[in-house]
């Protein structure tokens, strides 16, 4: 399968007249079509709700697009909660799934009425002492331990993850929470990251449904929702097939009808917390070739760096690259595509077959719509780029301006460093 960008060379040449590279750009049309399809895949469940994982792309303009399809937000920190609240969200439109949680974050989540998803058994007492009560609606994150397998293929190792309650703690926790006043319960689990296997969600759902039946039977707790969390991935490489969300939704429906309905639990709502699946394919990092270097390897230096997209440097993650205007040119050159950080792992591609790259060419780095800009940082004094939204009508909207040196120095307020520098400039 050929990966094609959603922008052309001509579009980028026009955009850079106003917004210089590097920048992240998002495809509103693609985001809307994908959100519509997700909603359709789970329409069989009347209570279904997607809680978009804010950490993936914490931009209110993007979140507003998703809210048109009934999406809430999944938050993992105080600032993500504040962002959601600033957008006018509150109550059960916000899920707070955190770990190693400071007291002030629980306080704020409770204040705005967010659903709190506890990560640890000891957090039951901590939450009660912090806010003076246990909320009537509460969720617990489940970690079954061991390995998670599908059709005898090991997908991941939950037993090595720091998150969640053990099986025994789930039962003890539900009893304790019920005694302390909780009335409606949720079950949450995240066992596999970035899988394009259509079997993951249905397999996870069946396991959680069976647990829910036992929990409700043995503790008397009313299970209000089951949160399948995230984990559905995307095909970063051209030879990978994407997950089929319609098949996934149907697989979850089948498990629901076989496990929950016979147990008299046909009122349980299904929630998801997708980030990568919702946004990643609909974002590009656009960068320009600045330098070429010919030593032991062939290098192309671009004006973006790992501060704009950390995943390749941090994980060795693959991101496809298109040289705009050369989509059909032969891939007859082998390059490392690098940024300017003083780190040898600051590479977007290693030994990548690409067409001949000329200085001034624009490169599209694919699938940066999630965990792209959001993981940015300021190492080497590099500044975060702008974020742009390609509207359905073809216009471009600035949805986050690029950082400036003034932003970088802003936290040194007491020293007034930037003012002194301005006087010298």
């Amino acid at each position: 399968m050929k990966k094609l960008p959603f922008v052309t060379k001509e579009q980028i040449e026009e955009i850079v007249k106003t917004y210089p590279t590097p920048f992240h750009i998002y495809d509103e049309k693609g985001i809307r079509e994908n959100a519509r399809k997700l909603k359709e895949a789970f329409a069989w469940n009347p209570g279904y709700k997607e809680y978009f994982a804010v950490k993936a792309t914490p931009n209110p303009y993007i979140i507003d697009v998703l809210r048109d399809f009934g999406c809430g937000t999944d938050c993992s920190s105080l600032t993500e909660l504040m962002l959601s609240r600033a957008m006018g969200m509150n109550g059960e439109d916000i899920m707070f799934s955190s770990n190693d949680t400071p007291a002030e974050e629980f306080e704020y989540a409770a204040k705005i009425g967010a659903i709190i998803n506890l990560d640890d058994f000891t957090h039951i007492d901590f939450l009660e002492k912090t806010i003076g009560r246990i909320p009537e609606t509460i969720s617990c994150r489940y970690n079954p331990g061991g390995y998670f397998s599908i059709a005898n293929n090991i997908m991941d190792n939950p037993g090595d993850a720091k998150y969640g309650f053990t099986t025994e703690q789930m039962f003890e926790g539900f009893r304790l929470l019920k005694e302390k006043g909780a009335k409606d319960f949720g079950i949450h689990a995240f066992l596999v990251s970035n899988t394009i296997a259509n079997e993951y969600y249905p397999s996870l759902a069946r396991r959680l449904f069976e647990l829910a039946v036992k929990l409700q039977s043995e503790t008397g707790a009313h299970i209000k929702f089951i949160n399948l969390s995230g984990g559905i991935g995307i095909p970063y490489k051209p030879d990978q097939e994407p997950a089929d969300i319609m098949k996934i939704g149907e697989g979850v429906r089948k498990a629901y009808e076989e496990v929950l309905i016979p147990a008299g639990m046909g009122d349980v709502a299904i929630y998801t917390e997708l980030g990568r699946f919702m946004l990643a394919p609909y974002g590009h990092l656009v960068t320009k070739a600045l330098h070429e270097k010919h030593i032991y390897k062939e290098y192309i230096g671009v004006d973006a760096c790992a501060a704009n997209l950390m995943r390749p440097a941090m994980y060795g993650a693959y991101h496809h690259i298109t040289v705009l205007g050369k989509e059909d040119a032969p891939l007859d050159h082998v390059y490392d595509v690098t940024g300017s950080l003083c780190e040898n792992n600051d590479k977007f591609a290693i030994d990548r077959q690409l067409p001949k790259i000329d200085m001034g060419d624009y490169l599209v780095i694919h699938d940066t719509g999630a965990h792209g800009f959001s993981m940015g940082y300021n190492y080497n004094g590099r500044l975060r780029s702008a974020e742009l939204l390609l509207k359905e009508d073809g216009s471009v909207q600035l949805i986050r301006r690029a950082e400036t040196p003034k932003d970088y120095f802003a936290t040194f307020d007491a020293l007034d460093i930037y003012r002194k520098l301005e006087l010298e400039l």
Side-chain angles (χ1 to χ4, degrees):
M1 182 179 72
K2 191 171 184 179
K3 289 181 81 78
L4 296 172
F6 55 76
V7 288
T8 65
K9 178 183 178 183
E10 291 72 24
Q11 283 177 299
I12 293 302
E13 286 176 337
E14 191 62 31
I15 291 169
V16 298
K17 292 176 183 177
T18 306
Y19 307 111
T21 55
F23 53 75
H24 287 270
I25 187 167
Y26 306 96
D27 176 20
E28 181 183 12
K29 181 180 178 182
I31 294 168
R32 288 186 178 276
E33 289 175 352
N34 191 51
R36 188 177 294 111
K37 197 168 185 181
L38 173 68
K39 189 174 181 180
E40 181 184 347
F42 287 92
W44 54 266
N45 182 257
Y48 172 73
K49 192 173 185 70
E50 156 66 8
Y51 288 85
F52 172 66
V54 175
K55 61 180 172 287
T57 317
N59 191 298
Y61 293 88
I62 298 294
I63 295 169
D64 258 344
V65 172
L66 298 176
R67 289 179 72 188
D68 287 346
F69 299 89
C71 297
T73 55
D74 166 53
C75 302
S76 56
S77 69
L78 177 61
T79 46
E80 290 182 357
L81 287 168
M82 292 172 70
L83 174 62
S84 298
R85 185 69 189 100
M87 294 178 65
M89 303 174 71
N90 54 39
E92 296 195 358
D93 280 336
I94 304 172
M95 184 77 61
F96 182 49
S97 298
S98 62
N99 68 95
D100 193 20
T101 310
E104 59 269 22
E105 299 194 0
F106 276 141
E107 288 173 352
Y108 190 77
K111 179 180 178 181
I112 64 176
I115 299 173
I116 294 174
N117 182 36
L118 295 174
D119 177 67
D120 181 62
F121 182 84
T122 66
H123 289 183
I124 296 173
D125 285 339
F126 184 76
L127 176 64
E128 186 179 35
K129 290 174 182 176
T130 298
I131 67 172
R133 60 186 173 82
I134 291 295
E136 290 191 357
T137 299
I138 194 78
S139 178
C140 295
R141 182 168 181 167
Y142 175 53
N143 183 335
Y147 291 91
F148 182 78
S149 301
I150 299 175
N152 296 321
N153 292 320
I154 294 175
M155 303 295 290
D156 215 325
N157 179 13
D160 198 38
K162 67 176 183 176
Y163 309 105
F165 289 56
T166 67
T167 302
E168 295 76 14
Q169 288 174 340
M170 288 291 287
F171 284 86
E172 186 179 353
F174 271 43
R175 290 189 185 98
L176 182 58
L177 287 163
K178 190 167 180 284
E179 289 173 8
K180 292 178 178 292
K183 295 180 179 173
D184 293 316
F185 289 77
I187 302 171
H188 172 288
F190 181 95
L191 303 186
V192 174
S193 178
N194 190 36
T195 177
I196 52 177
N198 293 331
E199 299 80 16
Y200 168 57
Y201 252 22
S203 297
L204 171 64
R206 187 174 294 274
R207 178 175 288 199
L208 295 184
F209 295 164
E210 290 170 350
L211 174 66
V213 170
K214 291 179 182 177
L215 280 167
Q216 185 156 300
S217 171
E218 296 184 24
T219 70
H222 174 249
I223 309 298
K224 181 179 181 179
F225 64 85
I226 293 174
N227 190 336
L228 302 178
S229 189
I232 300 177
I234 65 157
Y236 283 99
K237 296 183 178 180
D239 59 354
Q240 295 176 310
E241 288 294 322
D244 186 331
I245 197 61
M246 300 308 292
K247 285 185 179 178
I248 290 169
E250 179 61 18
V252 175
R253 183 196 64 78
K254 186 172 184 290
Y256 190 100
E257 292 183 352
E258 290 176 355
V259 179
L260 290 181
I261 288 181
M265 298 174 66
D267 62 338
V268 173
I270 300 300
Y271 295 165
T272 55
E273 290 175 358
L274 297 166
R276 192 190 317 264
F277 177 82
M278 300 301 289
L279 261 298
Y282 312 108
H284 294 332
L285 174 58
V286 181
T287 184
K288 183 168 69 174
L290 296 181
H291 298 286
E292 55 186 336
K293 186 171 186 175
H294 317 286
I295 49 172
Y296 305 106
K297 300 178 77 172
E298 294 294 301
Y299 294 94
I300 296 294
V302 297
D303 60 3
C305 64
N308 305 110
L309 178 65
M310 186 194 290
R311 297 185 73 252
M314 186 175 184
Y315 305 121
Y318 179 95
H319 281 264
H320 198 65
I321 295 176
T322 296
V323 183
L324 290 179
K326 299 180 179 180
E327 289 85 350
D328 298 318
L331 308 179
D332 55 3
H333 284 62
V334 177
Y335 297 112
D336 282 15
V337 179
T338 75
S340 59
L341 294 188
C342 298
E343 295 289 342
N344 196 46
N345 66 351
D346 182 21
K347 297 179 180 181
F348 295 114
I350 297 174
D351 295 330
R352 184 75 59 86
Q353 289 185 293
L354 292 165
K356 182 181 184 302
I357 297 176
D358 297 301
M359 299 308 93
D361 279 348
Y362 293 106
L363 280 63
V364 159
I365 303 177
H366 290 250
D367 302 318
T368 68
H371 310 293
F373 179 94
S374 66
M375 295 176 73
Y377 55 104
N378 289 128
Y379 182 57
N380 275 182
R382 295 298 171 186
L383 304 174
R384 293 177 180 87
S385 66
E387 291 182 290
L388 310 177
L389 182 63
L390 178 65
K391 306 285 283 183
E392 289 186 285
D393 63 6
S395 63
V396 172
Q397 180 182 5
L398 178 69
I399 59 174
R400 191 194 302 261
R401 67 167 175 79
E403 287 183 337
T404 68
K406 187 173 182 179
D407 297 311
Y408 181 81
F409 292 114
T411 49
F412 296 119
D413 284 347
L415 300 178
D416 207 9
I417 289 177
Y418 193 77
R419 189 186 65 81
K420 295 173 184 175
L421 292 172
E422 279 187 312
L423 294 175
E424 295 179 3
L425 295 175

